[in-house]
Amino acid sequence: MIRSPHRRARRAAFAAAAMATLVAAGNPAPAPLGIGDRLYPHLGNPGYDVLAYDLAFDYSGRSTRPLQAVTSIDARATSLLDAFNLDFARGKVRSVEVNGKRARFRSVGEDLAVTPAEPIAPGGRLHVNVAHTSDPGTGADGGWVRTRDGLAMASQPDAAHRVFPSNDHPADKARFTFRIVAPKDLTVVASGLPVSRDRGRRATTWVYRSAHPMATELAQISIGRSAVLRRKGPHGLPLRDVVPAADRQRLGKWLAKTPGQISWMERKAGRYPFETYGVLIADAQTGFELETQTLSLFERGLFTDPRFPAPYVASVMVHELAHQWFGNSVSPAQWSDLWLSEGHATWYEALYAHEVSRVSLTERMRRAYARSDAWRTEGGPPAAPKPPSPGKKISIFRPIVYDGGALVLYALRQRIGTQAFDRLERAWSSRYRYGNGSTEGFIALASEISGRDQSSFLRSWLFGETTPPMPGHPDWKADRTTSRKAAHAPQHMPHQAGRKPGSQGKPA
């Protein structure tokens, strides 16, 4: 597994306080744990570093029924483990094995507390097998999403553990193998590249594997009556799109845009970071699009509803594509760093609309500036967002991290100039590739690349309660009295009801 030394140091510091609960002598009563994320205190688990997941699912053909599943986890202990937790909810556990021996287990909140037969020493191997069910439920709170003809996944920010046991935090990225058994008339596609397909009399076993580390919330599996359309992208990059079989001709004009969009992004941010890419168009109503790694999830209606202008649809596609660099390859160190993902994706969405469709970037940023103070009041500053609303975990995906985050990048470009800004973007996506990036790391790199300390400037933009003056635009005004309705208004083009402004309506 390719690992960033910066990521190791951050993760060790991030989890240090929580790890003490596992090092203490004796076996305290199981309790939900976490690695100390400010927005999701119980997400992730201390004491180990996951290296790889092997996920096996058996799909009966009915999306309302739980799938039979086995999750295998290879990890390395980072402290003495008398016991440890996995994130897991919405499934029944039949058995747990640790290093080949049966282990005791108990569900506690949204955690699975495991007591191995023998303690695991620091640095020791941790191989966990969990036999369980994976219940699609209603899909209302993420995890599995029911489509018209099967299932897909949408797990951001904290719903992967509603599909499989995991260390469900982007600070712990790992490689994935997917093994899915499905009726022979269905097609299965997952993140990564295909490894094998074994056709049986009634069912087919599909195996896919990722070539690079991935955060749990970015895993994707599509099961349905789908057509898989293949083409080549820049540098021979294999592209594969997954669409409802009946729509392969109708949607082809949109899918043909992807190679050019990848080339455009490579000019901005450097070489595409993964082994493949594609668009997954699901016949479902989700209210969002999602940058699942190497296979971005889109609603069918985005491409078929005539209310969406072509420039809008293309910019949404670029938003999710940009995430492959910003959010997927370089993942947030903690969820307060979400602006680094969504702000960048929104920035390139807006820049693409400006350069390709002649939708004014300056005007979009001016309108965002006018609303920025209201967004800060509503959701907090870009790099210190307010916690999610009770019972609404995805509510951290507010306008302040989308257009508000893009506004920070625009202000920085205004300050340091386009050439230095472009060098910064390529350096960021290269230096932290396949690892995690933090707000502090971005501030430090911006200072290094620009040759000038940007700490005070960026901190005021990222952590201030009010919006600082915009370089080059002294006449721009931010109105703190903007109504709540205006604070949520779209910044550019028409959007579907329920879609979040600035993000094109996606929760990630």
Side-chain angles (χ1 to χ4, degrees):
M1 181 172 187
I2 302 172
R3 295 203 170 265
S4 161
H6 304 284
R7 171 182 170 273
R8 282 200 189 119
R10 280 194 305 274
R11 178 167 169 75
F14 196 40
M19 284 182 183
T21 61
L22 294 177
V23 179
N27 291 314
L33 299 177
I35 59 173
D37 192 287
R38 185 178 68 85
L39 300 180
Y40 300 97
H42 290 155
L43 205 59
N45 293 285
Y48 59 92
D49 181 17
V50 177
L51 307 176
Y53 292 95
D54 192 311
L55 309 180
F57 297 100
D58 192 336
Y59 178 64
S60 68
R62 299 185 64 175
S63 63
T64 57
R65 290 184 176 178
L67 289 73
Q68 298 300 315
V70 176
T71 294
S72 298
I73 301 172
D74 280 308
R76 178 181 58 84
T78 56
S79 66
L80 175 64
L81 294 180
D82 294 314
F84 61 91
N85 283 18
L86 300 170
D87 297 302
F88 186 55
R90 205 198 288 153
K92 295 181 179 179
V93 177
R94 298 188 301 276
S95 65
V96 178
E97 291 185 353
V98 177
N99 292 343
K101 297 181 179 180
R102 295 294 289 264
R104 300 196 308 273
F105 61 90
R106 177 181 172 185
S107 293
V108 184
E110 294 195 359
D111 277 17
L112 179 66
V114 178
T115 303
E118 299 174 355
I120 313 298
R125 173 179 178 269
L126 185 64
H127 182 76
V128 185
N129 274 334
V130 183
H132 61 97
T133 61
S134 184
D135 192 345
T138 64
D141 54 355
W144 290 114
V145 173
R146 294 181 190 169
T147 65
R148 185 179 296 274
D149 58 358
L151 293 171
M153 288 176 66
S155 298
Q156 198 171 61
D158 71 329
H161 68 274
R162 296 189 181 97
V163 177
F164 59 96
S166 59
N167 203 23
D168 194 9
H169 192 282
D172 194 4
K173 300 167 72 169
R175 296 178 188 266
F176 278 72
T177 299
F178 305 88
R179 307 174 192 275
I180 301 97
V181 178
K184 65 178 183 179
D185 60 333
L186 300 182
T187 298
V188 175
V189 183
S191 297
L193 290 172
V195 175
S196 64
R197 181 172 59 178
D198 184 9
R199 299 177 185 272
R201 189 165 62 90
R202 295 184 177 180
T204 301
T205 301
W206 307 72
V207 180
Y208 290 82
R209 183 169 294 129
S210 69
H212 304 283
M214 178 165 60
T216 49
E217 41 103 5
L218 298 174
Q220 182 58 268
I221 298 172
S222 166
I223 307 172
R225 290 181 172 81
S226 307
V228 181
L229 309 180
R230 304 182 189 278
R231 59 173 58 83
K232 292 290 184 180
H235 323 292
L237 177 73
L239 303 180
R240 46 91 174 89
D241 300 306
V242 184
V243 302
D247 290 325
R248 60 184 305 160
Q249 297 298 327
R250 181 180 187 182
L251 300 175
K253 67 174 184 178
W254 294 112
L255 306 177
K257 293 181 179 294
T258 299
Q261 291 172 342
I262 294 175
S263 293
W264 185 87
M265 273 300 307
E266 287 191 333
R267 292 193 294 272
K268 306 298 181 183
R271 189 76 169 252
Y272 177 76
F274 297 119
E275 65 273 21
T276 184
Y277 185 67
V279 169
L280 166 59
I281 300 178
D283 195 353
Q285 293 184 345
T286 61
F288 58 81
E289 329 303 331
L290 188 63
E291 68 274 13
T292 39
Q293 192 159 307
T294 72
L295 187 62
S296 294
L297 173 67
F298 295 85
E299 289 180 293
R300 177 180 180 273
L302 175 69
F303 301 94
T304 60
D305 190 328
R307 293 177 298 171
F308 297 136
Y312 170 81
V313 177
S315 68
V316 176
M317 295 175 69
V318 170
H319 183 112
E320 305 312 327
L321 172 62
H323 269 307
Q324 304 299 316
W325 284 262
F326 303 96
N328 294 14
S329 177
V330 184
S331 299
Q334 52 184 313
W335 280 109
S336 292
D337 298 315
L338 178 62
W339 79 274
L340 284 165
S341 301
E342 295 304 344
H344 272 103
T346 304
W347 168 255
Y348 287 109
E349 160 204 321
L351 189 61
Y352 182 86
H354 174 78
E355 293 187 358
V356 176
S357 302
R358 302 294 182 248
V359 178
S360 173
L361 174 67
T362 302
E363 180 60 18
R364 176 167 175 172
M365 293 297 106
R366 185 191 67 78
R367 292 180 179 179
Y369 189 90
R371 293 169 170 82
S372 181
D373 274 2
W375 290 340
R376 289 171 188 254
T377 299
E378 173 76 15
K386 293 181 179 179
S389 304
K392 298 180 180 179
K393 291 187 175 182
I394 68 169
S395 63
I396 63 167
F397 296 95
R398 303 180 178 103
I400 192 60
V401 299
Y402 286 88
D403 275 78
L407 193 65
V408 174
L409 298 174
Y410 179 78
L412 180 61
R413 191 176 76 156
Q414 289 288 104
R415 178 176 170 86
I416 68 176
T418 299
Q419 290 185 348
F421 181 82
D422 290 347
R423 290 197 304 272
L424 168 63
E425 293 293 274
R426 289 190 290 270
W428 176 257
S429 62
S430 174
R431 184 170 300 187
Y432 293 96
R433 179 172 288 200
Y434 310 131
N436 297 80
S438 69
T439 297
E440 294 302 320
F442 186 81
I443 293 173
L445 188 60
S447 299
E448 175 189 327
I449 296 296
S450 67
R452 179 181 175 187
D453 187 359
Q454 304 296 338
S455 299
S456 178
F457 177 80
L458 281 173
R459 287 184 186 283
S460 65
W461 274 92
L462 290 167
F463 296 99
E465 293 184 3
T466 59
T467 310
M470 176 60 73
H473 297 285
D475 57 319
W476 285 10
K477 304 296 181 185
D479 184 5
R480 291 187 65 82
T481 65
T482 302
S483 69
R484 183 183 180 90
K485 181 177 180 180
H488 287 278
Q491 298 308 297
H492 39 107
M493 304 176 194
H495 68 289
Q496 182 173 339
R499 292 179 181 270
K500 294 178 177 59
S503 67
Q504 315 295 355
K506 56 179 291 297

